[in-house]
Amino acid sequence: MKTATARAHPNIAFIKYWGNQDDVLRLPANSSLSMNLDGLYTQTTVIPDETLFSDVLVLNGEIASGKSLERVVTHLNMLRQRCEIVTHVRVESANNFPTGTGIASSASAFAALTVATAAVFEISMTERELTTLARRGSGSASRSVPTGFVEWHAADTHADSFAESIAAPEYWNLVDVVAIVSDQHKATGSQEGHTTAATSDLQIARVNGAADRLMRCKQAFLARDFATFAEVVELDSNLMHAVMMTSRPPLFYWLPTTLDIMQRVRAWRSQGLNVCYTLDAGPNVHCLCTADAAPEIQRQLQQVAGVMDIKIATPGGAAVVIV
Amino acid sequence: MKTATARAHPNIAFIKYWGNQDDVLRLPANSSLSMNLDGLYTQTTVIPDETLFSDVLVLNGEIASGKSLERVVTHLNMLRQRCEIVTHVRVESANNFPTGTGIASSASAFAALTVATAAVFEISMTERELTTLARRGSGSASRSVPTGFVEWHAADTHADSFAESIAAPEYWNLVDVVAIVSDQHKATGSQEGHTTAATSDLQIARVNGAADRLMRCKQAFLARDFATFAEVVELDSNLMHAVMMTSRPPLFYWLPTTLDIMQRVRAWRSQGLNVCYTLDAGPNVHCLCTADAAPEIQRQLQQVAGVMDIKIATPGGAAVVIV
């Protein structure tokens, strides 16, 4: 058998995914909306090997074991079942960005793994089906399969909870200026976090309003109406973190610098810059802005104490097989 | 006519008041529970003067006008109506602590004003009625009238939404070690904030769970069970701030130092210290602890960058007429 290498970008959600209606199938509690991040990627090579008794995972150059391996093997088993293939594989995967710090590495990782595995097994699938399979590995991975700006639909069945592009990367020249405030691996991964969402008294209210927020966000996005877009994106991020902070036990992903930057972003916007913040399950602040505002945002962030690094990403394309 | 001077303590809520079911009568959305803060007080003298055409307010030594005066005049009109008296008054009021920074100055102010005015007009009233009248000036003022630890009942009518002591100050030797992280007057006062509570998608869920939290908090308090008390107090504070941050427009009262201290408090508790945090509508962190832990909490807080001052308060008594 041949080998296959795929690349997928992480994505940043404008409307967040937090909590499942089905944890095994990873059917999300609400639909979400995101942008792929160009320049950042996971590159994954899948090498079938008839001589292997079990799968081997090499993560960023090191042989993986424990939970990381287990999660990948579970995903490979699901893919093998779909493809009706039994061969074990060696998976070599690497990110060009730090993992576990609020840039969703599991999204790009499971998108790349799914696309590479389908390619190496030579099974023809629609993009829609690929997004549902990627979803099984990590919910937000479904959003890293299609190109540009992507909507992932909540649904009651595996086949209906798919993701699709709502616009190409060129549609709106948004930039994600990511203020890295920690490169420590976070104490609670987002996978565990999703299962705690239901312990917050606020989760149901967040979920009940999500479809309306997604509609408002999508309309503002399609109209390139930054002011409306900014308001709903920040609200949705605040709602997710409100649920996190009121879960039992509570999850606090914010660091003092995180809060500092959030407040500065609001001040910059009130001074006329097209910028808003959003945070995933981590302390880094994604400052979403229009391209014309990006240099000034970067310059300002460089002056904030506690900002260790700044990553800049424009809208990224689909997950693709490169070899 | 004689004059009267009263003193009332501010209070810190264990279970928070945020949002009204009736903004004019200040009937709260949920019942709340608090502790009066000894050592901190508002002292208010009411001097009837038949020669005045309108009320005069002297706040911390300066003649007040605008909204402060208007709010006091509205309250005095309500009290005069109850007492069937028309005389205008000169009110001299001063706090021995900074105003508008998360220590509830309006609570002690309207408790002292209500008690002093009732005294000077020589109207005999039950404590229960005094708490309802104080409530009309500032909701949490109702909790500063009775002694020690106080429950304020949500209800549908003016007469039924009263406050009463659930325990004397001596019942449990709790200490409030207040980390002052800002002496700036906050941008949004809590009075305006209450009216925005309903704009958060999360307020209804917060209110729906409040009676259960109050019961758990009261039981833990009466059993002097610090671990359970700490958990529900922090949860309730987080829930209120979750509502604030998701209101439209959002209210962010936390500063970076606020978040830093909240995280340290949780760490100190996990290390065995009896301490938990709670925040009112401001950035200062109230570190509630048992008396034995207070010196260590104070020592630790002194080493935190951004802590400008530390106030220490033990459980305080009722609002009283002192002259």
Side-chain angles (χ1 to χ4, degrees):
Chain A
M1 260 187 233
K2 61 164 194 171
T3 73
T5 299
R7 271 193 191 175
H9 302 294
N11 64 73
I12 178 68
F14 303 155
I15 299 295
K16 303 299 188 187
Y17 158 50
W18 192 246
N20 295 316
Q21 46 181 290
D22 184 316
D23 281 324
V24 175
L25 291 178
R26 289 188 209 278
L27 298 175
N30 61 280
S31 299
S32 53
L33 193 64
S34 62
M35 166 179 125
N36 287 337
L37 301 177
D38 200 31
L40 310 175
Y41 59 82
T42 300
Q43 179 167 318
T44 301
T45 301
V46 177
I47 307 154
D49 186 340
E50 303 281 2
T51 69
L52 287 174
F53 288 102
S54 61
D55 299 314
V56 174
L57 173 63
V58 182
L59 265 184
N60 296 312
E62 293 184 15
I63 300 273
S65 60
K67 286 196 171 176
S68 303
L69 175 63
E70 199 180 304
R71 193 169 167 191
V72 164
V73 168
T74 301
H75 193 63
L76 288 168
N77 286 341
M78 188 272 299
L79 293 173
R80 272 187 288 256
Q81 190 171 15
R82 164 63 184 86
C83 300
E84 298 179 334
I85 283 179
V86 294
T87 313
H88 287 112
V89 298
R90 175 183 172 91
V91 174
E92 295 176 358
S93 189
N95 300 324
N96 74 340
F97 59 96
T99 60
T101 58
I103 296 178
S105 57
S106 66
S108 50
F110 282 95
L113 178 62
T114 303
V115 168
T117 305
V120 86
F121 290 164
E122 297 185 300
I123 303 293
S124 169
M125 281 189 233
T126 61
E127 182 186 85
R128 173 173 166 157
E129 183 174 6
L130 283 169
T131 69
T132 63
L133 295 173
R135 190 200 75 232
R136 296 286 299 272
S138 171
S140 55
S142 65
R143 296 191 311 240
S144 283
V145 174
T147 189
F149 301 91
V150 178
E151 181 175 357
W152 168 28
H153 302 279
D156 292 337
T157 64
H158 167 71
D160 288 339
S161 185
F162 69 97
E164 62 183 330
S165 180
I166 65 160
E170 301 73 27
Y171 186 82
W172 195 8
N173 57 352
L174 291 177
V175 179
D176 184 6
V177 184
V178 192
I180 311 284
V181 301
S182 168
D183 59 1
Q184 300 267 304
H185 206 289
K186 60 199 179 197
T188 301
S190 53
Q191 196 188 7
E192 299 159 66
H194 283 288
T195 65
T196 74
T199 68
S200 166
D201 287 347
L202 308 181
Q203 167 72 349
I204 290 171
R206 187 195 70 80
V207 168
N208 285 346
D212 177 64
R213 289 191 301 280
L214 191 145
M215 189 186 68
R216 282 191 285 138
C217 185
K218 192 171 165 178
Q219 284 176 348
F221 170 81
L222 292 173
R224 302 185 186 89
D225 169 0
F226 195 87
T228 306
F229 175 80
E231 198 186 318
V232 67
V233 165
E234 290 188 354
L235 173 62
D236 196 79
S237 176
N238 293 342
L239 283 163
M240 180 175 75
H241 285 270
V243 167
M244 292 165 162
M245 296 191 287
T246 56
S247 294
R248 305 175 210 185
L251 295 175
F252 277 90
Y253 287 108
W254 298 353
L255 296 176
T257 305
T258 308
L259 190 59
D260 183 9
I261 297 170
M262 289 164 63
Q263 289 168 341
R264 286 170 193 260
V265 165
R266 292 176 52 79
W268 296 335
R269 187 161 77 256
S270 73
Q271 289 156 21
L273 279 174
N274 275 340
V275 60
C276 65
Y277 66 75
T278 189
L279 285 90
D280 278 346
N284 296 338
V285 185
H286 293 255
C287 301
L288 297 170
C289 60
T290 51
D292 56 305
E296 177 65 12
I297 300 303
Q298 184 179 10
R299 203 181 64 77
Q300 294 279 355
L301 285 173
Q302 280 162 349
Q303 296 166 30
V304 177
V307 173
M308 299 167 60
D309 195 7
I310 296 172
K311 300 276 183 196
I312 297 192
T314 52
V320 289
V321 178
I322 59 171
V323 184
Chain B
M1 261 188 231
K2 62 163 193 171
T3 74
T5 297
R7 271 194 191 175
H9 301 295
N11 63 74
I12 179 69
F14 303 155
I15 299 295
K16 303 298 187 185
Y17 157 50
W18 192 247
N20 295 315
Q21 46 181 289
D22 184 317
D23 281 325
V24 176
L25 290 179
R26 289 187 208 279
L27 298 174
N30 61 279
S31 300
S32 53
L33 193 63
S34 63
M35 167 178 126
N36 286 337
L37 301 178
D38 200 32
L40 310 175
Y41 59 81
T42 299
Q43 178 167 317
T44 300
T45 301
V46 177
I47 308 154
D49 185 341
E50 303 281 2
T51 69
L52 287 176
F53 287 102
S54 60
D55 299 315
V56 174
L57 173 63
V58 182
L59 265 185
N60 296 311
E62 291 183 19
I63 298 274
S65 60
K67 286 196 170 177
S68 302
L69 175 63
E70 200 180 305
R71 193 170 169 191
V72 164
V73 168
T74 301
H75 193 62
L76 288 168
N77 286 340
M78 189 272 301
L79 293 173
R80 273 188 287 254
Q81 190 171 15
R82 163 64 183 84
C83 300
E84 298 177 335
I85 284 180
V86 294
T87 313
H88 288 112
V89 298
R90 176 182 172 92
V91 174
E92 296 176 357
S93 188
N95 300 326
N96 75 339
F97 59 94
T99 59
T101 59
I103 296 178
S105 57
S106 66
S108 51
F110 282 95
L113 178 62
T114 303
V115 168
T117 305
V120 86
F121 289 165
E122 296 184 302
I123 303 292
S124 169
M125 281 188 231
T126 60
E127 181 185 87
R128 173 174 166 155
E129 183 174 6
L130 284 170
T131 71
T132 63
L133 295 173
R135 191 200 74 232
R136 296 287 299 273
S138 171
S140 55
S142 65
R143 297 191 310 241
S144 282
V145 174
T147 189
F149 301 91
V150 177
E151 181 175 356
W152 168 27
H153 302 280
D156 292 336
T157 63
H158 167 72
D160 287 339
S161 185
F162 68 98
E164 62 182 330
S165 180
I166 65 160
E170 301 74 26
Y171 186 81
W172 196 8
N173 56 353
L174 291 177
V175 179
D176 185 5
V177 183
V178 192
I180 310 283
V181 301
S182 169
D183 58 2
Q184 301 267 304
H185 205 288
K186 60 199 179 197
T188 301
S190 54
Q191 195 188 8
E192 298 159 66
H194 283 287
T195 65
T196 75
T199 68
S200 167
D201 287 347
L202 309 181
Q203 168 72 349
I204 290 171
R206 188 195 70 81
V207 168
N208 284 347
D212 177 63
R213 288 192 301 280
L214 191 145
M215 189 187 67
R216 283 191 285 139
C217 185
K218 191 170 166 179
Q219 284 176 347
F221 170 82
L222 292 173
R224 301 187 187 89
D225 168 1
F226 196 88
T228 305
F229 175 79
E231 198 186 319
V232 67
V233 165
E234 289 188 357
L235 173 61
D236 195 80
S237 176
N238 293 342
L239 283 164
M240 181 176 74
H241 285 271
V243 167
M244 291 166 163
M245 298 192 283
T246 57
S247 294
R248 304 176 211 186
L251 294 175
F252 277 90
Y253 287 109
W254 298 352
L255 296 177
T257 305
T258 308
L259 190 59
D260 183 10
I261 297 170
M262 289 164 64
Q263 290 169 341
R264 287 171 193 259
V265 165
R266 290 176 54 79
W268 297 336
R269 187 160 78 256
S270 74
Q271 289 156 21
L273 278 175
N274 275 340
V275 61
C276 65
Y277 66 76
T278 189
L279 285 89
D280 278 346
N284 296 337
V285 185
H286 293 255
C287 301
L288 297 169
C289 59
T290 52
D292 56 307
E296 177 63 12
I297 300 301
Q298 183 178 11
R299 203 181 63 77
Q300 293 280 357
L301 285 173
Q302 280 162 349
Q303 295 166 32
V304 176
V307 173
M308 299 167 59
D309 196 8
I310 296 172
K311 300 276 184 197
I312 297 191
T314 52
V320 288
V321 177
I322 57 171
V323 183

